[in-house]
Amino acid sequence: MKKNLIKPLALSLATVLWFSSCEKDPVAPAVTVNSGVIVANEGQFQKNQAALSYIDINGNKITNDVYALANQEEMGDILQSLYLMGDTLFAVINNSQKIIALNARTFAKIG
């Protein structure tokens, strides 16, 4: 009877160890804020198209949808306003009824 239990237990243990050892690779920032302008794009009503764009004044470059690039998800429906407090950028998403806290330099979601 002990022989019958050893293989399934060993396989179960190996499976648990295999999946618990996996970690997500850190995502490199899509853009880093130096000196520029953050643009709030409201998006079309009920289309989940709210977005942030970043205009780098020094490099004369525009990067669209920096939130999605940094977080691999869409912001939501109707970006109403932005508020900057220290290094944290708060985005009020009206129709999705949420407030997203972001790192103001990398646009990575904090909470």
Side-chain angles (χ1 to χ4, degrees):
M1 177 127 178
K2 285 184 180 181
K3 288 182 181 181
N4 292 341
L5 291 177
I6 291 175
K7 271 189 175 180
L9 287 175
L11 183 60
S12 297
L13 179 63
T15 303
V16 168
L17 290 175
W18 175 269
F19 285 109
S20 66
S21 66
C22 296
E23 291 182 24
K24 286 186 176 181
D25 293 333
V27 177
V31 65
T32 302
V33 174
N34 292 320
S35 62
V37 179
I38 299 170
V39 179
N41 302 303
E42 184 178 73
Q44 195 173 9
F45 184 66
Q46 294 185 336
K47 298 289 185 182
N48 199 34
Q49 293 176 331
L52 292 175
S53 295
Y54 176 68
I55 303 171
D56 184 358
I57 295 171
N58 293 333
N60 291 328
K61 182 180 177 187
I62 298 173
T63 307
N64 291 315
D65 218 3
V66 291
Y67 176 84
L69 292 172
N71 299 289
Q72 287 77 46
E73 68 180 27
E74 299 297 323
M75 288 188 84
D77 190 21
I78 307 296
L79 174 57
Q80 179 182 342
S81 57
L82 297 173
Y83 178 74
L84 181 63
M85 187 171 70
D87 286 337
T88 304
L89 180 67
F90 294 93
V92 179
I93 314 298
N94 186 7
N95 217 32
S96 297
Q97 300 177 356
K98 62 183 178 180
I99 298 173
I100 304 170
L102 309 168
N103 180 307
R105 297 213 173 268
T106 64
F107 301 103
K109 189 162 106 174
I110 298 170

